[in-house]
Amino acid sequence: MQFIEPKNKNADKVDWLISEQVREIVKNYAEYCEYDESEVVDKFLKNLIDDKKFIDWVNGIRNNKRMIKKMGLEERMED
C-alpha cells in the first residue's frame, strides 16, 4: 500500500514574469497531464537537480549546507 503524499509542501506564491508562449505551453501540458499548472511547473523544475554541472556548481560553493538542505540534495552530495 502506498500512502498519499501532500501535494504542495511549503508552497509559496511567486511573482515571476514568463512569456506568453511558456504560459500557453504550461497550460496545455497541464491539461494533457490532468494536473494543474503549478503542479506541472513544480514537477518540471525539480528536474533541474539532475543537471550534473549545476550539482557540481552547488558542491563548489563555500558554506553551501543551507542551500543543499533547502534543495533536498543531502543524499546526492554524500556520493
Side-chain angles (χ1 to χ4, degrees):
M1 176 175 175
Q2 291 187 351
F3 295 99
I4 299 170
E5 293 287 328
K7 276 188 170 185
N8 293 314
K9 300 177 190 174
N10 300 319
D12 288 329
K13 191 170 189 162
V14 295
D15 186 25
W16 294 343
L17 299 176
I18 58 173
S19 69
E20 184 177 341
Q21 179 187 20
V22 171
R23 287 192 312 269
E24 191 65 25
I25 291 168
V26 170
K27 178 183 137 211
N28 290 304
Y29 197 82
E31 183 178 337
Y32 162 73
C33 294
E34 298 181 358
Y35 286 104
D36 64 40
E37 293 173 19
S38 60
E39 289 174 304
V40 168
V41 171
D42 188 66
K43 289 177 182 295
F44 181 77
L45 291 178
K46 285 180 182 176
N47 289 320
L48 295 177
I49 63 172
D50 292 331
D51 182 341
K52 177 149 175 42
K53 290 181 181 179
F54 174 59
I55 297 301
D56 290 345
W57 176 82
V58 169
N59 207 19
I61 294 176
R62 293 179 65 187
N63 301 321
N64 63 359
K65 293 184 188 315
R66 187 179 326 167
M67 180 191 313
I68 290 170
K69 185 176 181 180
K70 283 185 174 183
M71 290 192 294
L73 299 175
E74 296 96 336
E75 291 179 12
R76 189 178 292 243
M77 294 304 187
E78 292 173 358
D79 294 344

